[in-house]
Amino acid sequence: MTETEMAGNFIHDIIDDDLAAERLTKGVHTRFPPEPNGYLHIGHAKSICLNFGTAKKYKGLCNLRFDDTNPSREETEFINSIKQDVRWLGFDWQNRLYFASDYFQTIYECAVQLIKAGKAYICELNAEQMREYRGNINVAGTSPYRDRPIEESLRIFEEMKAGKYKDGTYTLRAKIDLASPNFVMRDPVIYRIQHSYHQRTENEWCIYPMYDFAHPISDAIEGITHSICTLEFENHRPLYDWVLDNLSFEARPRQIEFARLNLTHTVMSKRKLRRLVEEGYVNDWDDPRMPTISGLRRRGYTPEAIKDFCDRIGVAKSNSTVDINLLEHCIREDLNKRADRIMAVLQPLKVVITNYPEGKKEWMILENNPEDAGRGKRQLAFSREIYIEATDFMEDAPKKFFRLRPEGEVRLKGAYIIKCEEVIKDALGNVVELHCTYDPETKSGSDNSGKKVKGTIHWVNAKTAIPVKVNIYEHLFNNENPEDVPEGVDFVDTLNPESLKVIENALIEPIMPMVGEKFQFLRQGYFVVDQDAMPDEIIFNRIVSLKDSYKG
RNA sequence: UGGGGUGUGGCCAAGUGGUAAGGCACCGGUCUCUGGAACCGGGAUUCAUUGGUUCGAAUCCAAUCUCCCCAGCCA
């Protein structure tokens, strides 16, 4: 995404039309309306980028509004995390932080207005009866209370509000069309009795408006011009319009639906994510394997990468599942330019350079980021004993293996070319150490040997390297679409058992990294310092591996 | 069986009657002291299908099919 503008889409076409027809006298105004009952995920990021990005593109405004119309499932913990996540992504609602609960009085008055106009009535069907009386595709619904006198509805509604009735005794229904082929329009409930404590309004109310009633009213109150939501609300649009048609707000918001994001190798439904957390399949909402914003943040994703991703996937109306490769591409691209390189050995294999004098030490010069000379260079100690990656040595190596092999030569990044002279094994035949010789003529920066080797490997100096813990993350699920499991199979049974591998004793160059700092471990991937890291125990999370075209 | 949507290469996605953008993935190649990055090149005779209109159709019309959503006092 460029600094100022996101890619166009069908919603912007609609706005362009509205602008051309001069329907938008006060400019474009959108809103991001999360329900505070869970953590935000990458799918919400798409919506956030769309809403805030659209406002920015048209020099309009975007509000943050919590849809807190159901007190039984909402918590302040979520409100705080949502605010933090939106802010972290880089969006600013300025002073326009709202709650649907701010409008409860107005919404209530709207309900009264509808009753007085004969457009809403008190129904006393219970939930089960309501289902039966709704009819079906072929049969129209009914309600014995549809023609209840206005005065009576008004009185009962007043009593409901006053707390005279138990939950479920009565509902307020919009009088629309019980025969509508769209079930949403079969006299939908717009108010229900719910004696529960509300985080914001506390015990002021015991009746709460339904989403379908509260949302259009909230939009109208805030002067929202384009109310962007996901596809499953398409059936609700006639009701959204009905509510506005039958009340008298000046503003006339318009609902537009787009397809929610799906990603391969992960799940996105709140219910499933909640299960992963509550049943301990992951550590928490911010587990680096989670597709939550907080999980991605802890994993080391940057807001820039996420926004770039959201811009690249586009906005349309067809259900689709984006390849997680694209997300990974976005973070690699971002970090390639920004992350300093260091050398880290995940599986150390000791190498003794037999012809290198004992006690001798040289300072090697390495660039911090070849993509950005401005990041400068650093010095690295080199001496007789080093560690290389165990996987960079192979006894019976295939031809295309460009790393170390018996009798073979390889370049140590930023240092010398070494030759493997002897392989030391333990009693079980495992390779435990290599004896190599180095060629003094091949020092980086002053190589006059004319020698060419095919491979360059990373290393750390045995004396100065520091041990760290590294979390290697893989996809949460091996299968592309874990939402779609065979009948009778629980999706948690398809979790990737190797989504987290902990390496306790990796070795890195001597550095003092800060929590959240990101690096490229040369030839391996991008890593971030986990928030749980301590001065005496550094923990890295692998953000994403480097691409690897080696076909071994 | 009713209503609402959707269908462009493996995955996203432009295209709005004038002869199929772009990205990811994939496959070649160049270059490289990261098998990274960068850079070149490759791919839809075809836009769900079948008809029709037109000089000309992914775009217009008709029919058919696919997949998704809807009968919560959830959002």
Side-chain angles (χ1 to χ4, degrees):
Chain A
M1 183 153 74
T2 63
E3 280 303 310
T4 52
E5 216 167 89
M6 60 188 293
N9 56 57
F10 80 97
I11 294 175
H12 294 349
D13 292 345
I14 291 172
I15 294 175
D16 289 338
D17 285 349
D18 288 342
L19 251 17
E22 297 184 343
R23 278 189 290 265
L24 270 19
T25 51
K26 290 175 186 162
V28 174
H29 206 328
T30 57
R31 102 269 91 116
F32 172 61
E35 183 190 11
N37 72 339
Y39 280 68
L40 259 26
H41 55 61
I42 182 86
H44 293 108
K46 177 182 181 182
S47 174
I48 292 166
C49 289
L50 214 208
N51 278 296
F52 280 93
T54 296
K56 186 174 185 183
K57 173 173 177 175
Y58 291 96
K59 297 184 168 42
L61 300 170
C62 180
N63 300 351
L64 174 60
R65 180 170 76 228
F66 286 97
D67 232 320
D68 56 348
T69 55
N70 188 343
S72 66
R73 43 189 253 174
E74 294 151 4
E75 293 174 31
T76 25
E77 175 198 355
F78 298 127
I79 291 178
N80 293 331
S81 77
I82 289 168
K83 281 157 69 175
Q84 184 192 3
D85 289 348
V86 174
R87 230 182 267 123
W88 178 75
L89 281 171
F91 296 105
D92 185 6
W93 55 84
Q94 297 164 303
N95 60 342
R96 298 181 313 284
L97 169 64
Y98 301 119
F99 293 81
S101 55
D102 293 342
Y103 314 132
F104 280 171
Q105 182 59 34
T106 304
I107 297 170
Y108 170 78
E109 284 161 15
C110 287
V112 170
Q113 195 181 320
L114 287 182
I115 299 172
K116 286 182 175 164
K119 291 170 178 167
Y121 62 95
I122 296 294
C123 184
E124 54 194 87
L125 257 19
N126 64 35
E128 192 187 333
Q129 293 169 320
M130 185 91 70
R131 207 172 309 126
E132 288 164 21
Y133 281 69
R134 189 159 358 244
N136 57 44
I137 287 167
N138 307 305
V139 180
T142 53
S143 168
Y145 308 99
R146 203 162 199 256
D147 297 314
R148 188 191 292 278
I150 289 172
E151 292 311 317
E152 201 176 306
S153 283
L154 235 27
R155 194 201 79 228
I156 300 173
F157 192 49
E158 197 65 34
E159 292 169 347
M160 281 164 63
K161 178 182 181 244
K164 192 168 172 187
Y165 306 112
K166 288 201 185 82
D167 289 8
T169 320
Y170 293 104
T171 57
L172 179 66
R173 294 230 253 167
K175 194 170 183 175
I176 304 179
D177 178 8
L178 282 170
S180 172
N182 180 356
F183 290 103
V184 173
M185 299 297 272
R186 314 253 267 219
D187 289 11
V189 170
I190 57 178
Y191 257 95
R192 78 284 213 182
I193 301 171
Q194 200 170 116
H195 291 271
S196 30
Y197 178 81
H198 187 286
Q199 297 295 332
R200 292 183 59 82
T201 59
E202 304 185 331
N203 295 311
E204 189 185 345
W205 298 88
C206 61
I207 56 171
Y208 293 94
M210 300 290 290
Y211 164 88
D212 282 324
F213 192 54
H215 208 83
I217 293 173
S218 304
D219 283 343
I221 290 171
E222 293 176 20
I224 299 304
T225 54
H226 301 270
S227 183
I228 302 169
C229 64
T230 44
L231 249 30
E232 66 270 28
F233 291 102
E234 219 157 10
N235 295 329
H236 297 239
R237 193 170 61 220
L239 177 51
Y240 183 98
D241 289 334
W242 183 93
V243 170
L244 263 14
D245 284 343
N246 289 281
L247 293 170
S248 41
F249 288 98
E250 217 174 295
R252 190 52 208 247
R254 169 176 183 179
Q255 177 180 306
I256 304 171
E257 312 84 13
F258 72 101
R260 62 166 2 114
L261 170 69
N262 294 295
L263 258 189
T264 58
H265 300 288
T266 192
V267 290
M268 214 70 95
S269 88
K270 257 184 207 172
R271 210 196 103 252
K272 291 193 168 102
L273 292 175
R274 182 187 298 272
R275 263 196 77 192
L276 294 179
V277 173
E278 288 176 355
E279 295 176 22
Y281 295 104
V282 296
N283 293 321
D284 207 342
W285 287 97
D286 69 346
D287 186 296
R289 292 166 290 184
M290 292 285 275
T292 49
I293 305 294
S294 51
L296 291 166
R297 176 168 57 231
R298 188 162 183 176
R299 177 75 170 257
Y301 271 80
T302 59
E304 290 76 11
I306 293 171
K307 285 189 280 192
D308 182 36
F309 170 76
C310 290
D311 194 48
R312 290 186 193 224
I313 56 177
V315 177
K317 293 193 69 163
S318 63
N319 287 308
S320 60
T321 302
V322 175
D323 193 332
I324 199 162
N325 272 312
L326 180 58
L327 217 211
E328 295 183 343
H329 167 82
C330 291
I331 188 62
R332 283 192 190 103
E333 190 173 80
D334 187 28
L335 261 18
N336 179 46
K337 294 175 304 199
R338 305 161 56 172
D340 281 351
R341 274 60 170 167
I342 63 170
M343 293 200 282
V345 173
L346 268 20
Q347 283 180 67
L349 173 61
K350 190 174 184 181
V351 172
V352 178
I353 301 162
T354 54
N355 63 339
Y356 196 89
E358 247 171 287
K360 180 177 175 181
K361 180 163 90 175
E362 278 180 275
W363 290 101
M364 301 300 179
I365 312 284
L366 284 95
E367 49 193 346
N368 287 325
N369 186 335
E371 306 293 320
D372 181 3
R375 296 299 305 171
K377 297 181 174 168
R378 68 188 184 285
Q379 290 192 313
L380 222 48
F382 181 83
S383 55
R384 193 168 195 264
E385 294 188 1
I386 61 170
Y387 287 97
I388 65 167
E389 203 68 60
T391 52
D392 281 338
F393 171 78
M394 203 180 244
E395 255 195 306
D396 298 302
K399 251 205 174 72
K400 291 279 181 88
F401 186 79
F402 300 150
R403 287 108 91 165
L404 243 203
R405 67 179 76 207
E407 309 293 309
E409 285 186 308
V410 75
R411 161 141 247 138
L412 294 174
K413 174 71 183 177
Y416 297 99
I417 290 177
I418 56 169
K419 181 178 181 190
C420 176
E421 308 283 0
E422 194 183 345
V423 181
I424 317 291
K425 298 181 181 177
D426 64 12
L428 297 165
N430 299 311
V431 177
V432 293
E433 189 175 316
L434 261 25
H435 286 181
C436 298
T437 51
Y438 85 113
D439 180 347
E441 299 302 306
T442 58
K443 184 170 178 176
S444 273
S446 54
D447 186 339
N448 304 310
S449 69
K451 216 175 244 181
K452 284 275 179 194
V453 287
K454 200 69 176 148
T456 300
I457 64 173
H458 58 276
W459 54 276
V460 292
N461 184 241
K463 267 209 181 65
T464 50
I466 52 180
V468 297
K469 180 173 154 183
V470 180
N471 296 133
I472 301 290
Y473 294 106
E474 301 279 354
H475 297 149
L476 245 188
F477 296 85
N478 283 324
N479 45 331
E480 273 205 355
N481 185 3
E483 300 268 9
D484 181 34
V485 293
E487 287 262 333
V489 176
D490 189 343
F491 84 104
V492 296
D493 293 335
T494 68
L495 276 159
N496 175 10
E498 305 197 320
S499 59
L500 167 59
K501 280 190 223 153
V502 181
I503 297 174
E504 298 287 352
N505 292 300
L507 295 169
I508 65 167
E509 302 178 6
I511 55 166
M512 288 279 284
M514 296 177 303
V515 165
E517 200 172 352
K518 298 164 187 73
F519 298 91
Q520 183 195 101
F521 287 2
L522 224 61
R523 301 206 307 132
Q524 311 204 82
Y526 295 97
F527 294 75
V528 64
V529 180
D530 187 75
Q531 63 188 44
D532 285 349
M534 307 287 277
D536 58 339
E537 192 198 28
I538 300 171
I539 304 169
F540 279 99
N541 296 330
R542 186 172 74 183
I543 306 166
V544 69
S545 69
L546 246 34
K547 280 182 57 170
D548 184 5
S549 62
Y550 173 62
K551 299 166 200 73

